[in-house]
């Protein structure tokens, strides 16, 4: 108690001597009464009403804005972050791309912080290895954050997260309104499977309904329903599905397939034989974790779509190894019949750890999904509002993922500007426009 009292007295003495600091601590409940006694103003600042105390724009409005309007709302990028973004381009420009490809060891030493003198690193898919430019960008964001934490979290973080999300959405070939960041693919998968287990709110937040008004859930499982996944599914996903089935009374159907199938058709035939009128959810890996098998998830989703009718199985893709390991075009996958896609950014995309994502194809499906952590956005109608804030945490990996995307777009285009196409979809052009606007 004595130490805490001394700390408060010190803060107040600093505030009294340094008028610019008054507004910095004016929201602290432990200092409000003392400020009144000193005759200092305690009038609160008016900001983003209804979403905690944040003073930035509504994230669901920001993510839906046209590019030119959004860029006008975007706070300037910190200089150190801009320098980190340019680092990869400068590095690759040191030698022609063909020379880099002829000397992969030198390229790896330039791009990563791996100890290649001691190890031959071949298990990149487990926990990945982050690109040096991406880790440099994340650290630049952290330093900027600590220079003025209130400014960063209260005014800059949400617009910058939306900026990173919009860049990432272009890379994945989807609408940014259908995409949210999560700490990892495990978190994203849990959000979807929990909704099927009936742990989500099961609410529609569509037009014409009061916020929080419960309706029948499209995704919730019940006795007699079936959930389908392959024997090759990731171990923790099997546990998620098993728990959801136990909680809901549904049945988990495990489709046995060989570790090394003779063809994609062999898997498709096994899935077709296992589908039934009771199948409500089908879960497929984009790339299997233990065997590195690249599944034709579009064909599998189309198969489920043909069997679906109006009440057939929804399709969830575990894309933990998807982005950049495989071609990911979420728009095309939606057309094929995929409903949810969960992925990581730290594996083959080589972003900093603690950045994953969740995509849901339609607002109806998005309305069924809830984050595991309930915070300020929990009662909001928007998909992004509900997932964007999980409390005070390190969001810099999500901000830095666009640096990793910029690296691969520059590298994949031979050092030239991106010319479009999913996984090379003009994200660099959007980032360039943002930099020009900030300048």
């Amino acid at each position: 108690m004595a130490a805490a009292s001394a700390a408060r007295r010190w803060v107040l003495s600093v505030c009294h001597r340094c008028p610019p600091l008054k507004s910095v601590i004016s929201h602290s409940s432990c200092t409000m009464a003392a400020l009144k006694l000193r005759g200092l103003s305690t009038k609160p600042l008016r900001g983003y009403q209804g979403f905690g105390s944040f003073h930035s724009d509504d994230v669901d409005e920001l993510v839906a804005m046209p590019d030119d309007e959004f860029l006008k709302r975007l706070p300037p990028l910190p200089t150190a972050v801009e320098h980190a973004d340019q680092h990869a381009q400068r590095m690759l420009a040191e030698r022609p791309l063909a020379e880099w490809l002829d000397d992969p060891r030198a390229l790896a030493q330039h791009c990563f912080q791996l100890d290649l003198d001691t190890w031959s690193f071949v298990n990149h898919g487990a926990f990945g290895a982050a690109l040096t430019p991406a880790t440099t960008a994340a650290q630049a964001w952290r330093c900027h954050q600590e220079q003025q934490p209130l400014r960063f979290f209260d005014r800059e973080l949400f617009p910058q997260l939306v900026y990173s999300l919009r860049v990432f959405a272009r890379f994945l070939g989807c609408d940014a309104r259908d995409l949210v960041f999560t700490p990892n693919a495990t978190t994203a998968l849990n959000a979807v499977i929990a909704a099927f287990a009936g742990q989500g709110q099961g609410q529609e937040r569509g037009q014409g309904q009061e916020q929080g008004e419960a309706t029948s859930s499209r995704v919730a499982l019940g006795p007699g329903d079936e959930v389908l996944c392959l024997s090759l599914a990731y171990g923790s996903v099997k546990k998620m599905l098993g728990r959801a089935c136990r909680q809901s009374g549904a049945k988990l159907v495990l489709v046995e397939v060989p570790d090394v199938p003779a063809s994609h058709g062999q898997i498709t035939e096994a899935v077709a034989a296992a589908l039934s009128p009771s199948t409500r959810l089908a879960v497929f890996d984009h790339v299997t974790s233990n065997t590195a098998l690249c599944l034709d998830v579009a064909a599998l989703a189309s198969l489920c779509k043909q069997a679906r009718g109006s009440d057939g199985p929804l399709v969830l893709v575990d894309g933990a190894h998807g982005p950049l390991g495989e071609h990911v075009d979420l728009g095309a996958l939606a057309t094929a019949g995929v409903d949810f896609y969960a992925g990581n950014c730290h594996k083959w995309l080589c972003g900093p750890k603690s950045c994953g994502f969740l995509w849901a194809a339609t607002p109806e499906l998005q309305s069924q999904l809830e984050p595991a952590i309930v915070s300020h956005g929990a009662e909001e109608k928007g998909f992004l509002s509900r997932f964007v804030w999980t409390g005070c945490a390190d969001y810099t990996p999500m901000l830095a993922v666009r640096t990793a995307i910029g690296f691969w777009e520059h590298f994949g285009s031979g050092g030239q500007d991106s010319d479009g196409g999913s996984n090379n979809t003009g994200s660099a052009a959007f980032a360039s426009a943002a930099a020009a606007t900030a300048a």
Side-chain angles (χ1 to χ4, degrees):
M1 287 294 293
S5 298
R8 284 196 293 270
R9 287 197 300 272
W10 179 83
V11 170
L12 288 171
S13 68
V14 172
C15 176
H16 182 69
R17 296 170 190 167
C18 305
L21 291 183
K22 295 176 189 176
S23 62
V24 174
I25 69 167
S26 63
H27 290 291
S28 174
S29 59
C30 69
T31 61
M32 293 293 282
L35 289 172
K36 289 180 180 178
L37 289 174
R38 290 173 177 264
L40 300 176
S41 173
T42 59
K43 183 178 180 180
L45 294 174
R46 187 181 185 281
Y48 182 10
Q49 303 297 302
F51 196 99
S53 61
F54 299 105
H55 285 68
S56 56
D57 291 318
D58 184 314
V59 290
D60 286 301
E61 292 180 4
L62 289 174
V63 79
M65 287 179 181
D67 287 350
D68 55 351
E69 184 177 350
F70 167 73
L71 293 175
K72 295 175 183 177
R73 305 283 190 97
L74 184 66
L77 290 179
T79 302
V81 175
E82 288 191 71
H83 289 168
D85 288 348
Q86 297 164 2
H87 174 70
Q89 284 81 351
R90 293 196 304 270
M91 179 178 64
L92 293 174
E94 292 176 5
R95 300 165 64 180
L97 184 60
E99 290 186 15
W100 280 121
L101 295 177
D102 288 338
D103 191 358
R105 182 178 179 83
L107 180 62
Q109 288 174 329
H110 273 73
C111 297
F112 297 94
Q113 300 168 68
L114 291 166
D115 178 9
L116 297 176
D117 293 328
T118 307
W119 304 96
S120 294
F121 191 75
V122 296
N123 192 14
H124 194 90
F127 304 107
L131 287 163
T132 299
T135 56
T136 301
Q139 185 58 28
W141 276 114
R142 291 188 191 102
C143 292
H144 176 73
Q145 166 187 299
E146 298 307 326
Q147 289 171 3
Q148 223 304 12
L150 183 65
R151 176 191 62 191
F152 176 78
F153 284 105
D154 204 41
R155 293 166 170 79
E156 297 179 343
L157 175 62
F158 287 169
Q160 293 293 357
L161 280 174
V162 172
Y163 171 36
S164 191
L165 192 71
R166 290 169 74 115
V167 171
F168 193 35
R170 283 167 169 76
F171 185 76
L172 296 175
C174 70
D175 190 318
R177 291 171 292 185
D178 301 330
L179 189 68
V180 294
F181 282 128
T182 62
N184 44 53
T186 299
T187 303
L189 289 162
N190 268 280
V192 177
I193 294 170
F196 278 87
Q199 296 173 11
Q201 292 183 0
Q203 296 169 349
E204 299 289 350
R205 296 179 176 82
Q207 186 176 2
Q209 290 180 308
E210 292 297 323
Q211 180 174 322
E213 180 182 345
T215 66
S216 60
S217 170
R218 181 185 173 190
V219 302
L221 296 167
D225 291 333
E226 293 180 355
V227 175
L228 180 150
C229 76
L230 302 184
S231 57
L232 301 177
Y234 191 52
S236 69
V237 175
K238 292 177 184 176
K239 292 180 179 180
M240 296 177 208
L241 295 174
R243 181 181 183 183
C245 288
R246 289 192 300 272
Q247 291 174 336
S248 63
K251 176 185 177 182
L252 178 59
V253 177
L254 203 64
V255 182
E256 294 291 339
V257 294
D259 289 344
V260 185
S263 66
H264 287 297
Q266 185 177 2
I267 298 176
T268 303
E269 291 172 5
V271 170
L275 285 170
S276 80
S278 299
T279 308
R280 294 291 308 285
L281 173 66
V283 182
F284 305 112
D285 297 69
H286 203 161
V287 181
T288 59
S289 177
N290 294 331
T291 59
L293 178 66
C294 301
L295 298 182
D296 189 349
V297 290
L300 292 171
S302 295
L303 175 65
C304 292
K305 193 171 185 179
Q306 293 167 8
R308 167 179 305 183
S310 59
D311 296 317
L314 297 173
V315 177
L316 165 63
V317 173
D318 175 2
H321 295 261
L324 219 70
E326 281 290 286
H327 179 75
V328 180
D329 184 338
L330 293 178
L333 289 179
T335 301
V338 173
D339 299 287
F340 308 97
Y341 192 107
N344 281 318
C345 299
H346 67 266
K347 294 182 182 288
W348 302 106
L349 191 59
C350 304
K353 309 297 186 289
S354 299
C355 181
F357 65 94
L358 171 59
W359 170 85
T362 67
E364 179 191 3
L365 294 173
Q366 294 158 17
S367 72
Q368 305 297 316
L369 305 179
E370 299 291 339
I373 297 175
V374 176
S375 191
H376 290 301
E379 301 301 326
E380 300 294 319
K381 292 186 178 182
F383 187 35
L384 182 55
S385 285
R386 298 199 303 281
F387 280 83
V388 71
W389 178 258
T390 58
C392 188
D394 185 5
Y395 294 89
T396 60
M398 300 171 184
L399 298 175
V401 71
R402 61 182 184 78
T403 302
I405 291 171
F407 173 90
W408 293 119
E409 288 189 327
H410 188 84
F411 184 87
S413 60
Q416 303 301 313
D417 289 337
S418 170
D419 60 356
S422 180
N423 289 179
N424 197 13
T425 60
S427 307
F430 179 60
S432 299
T437 302

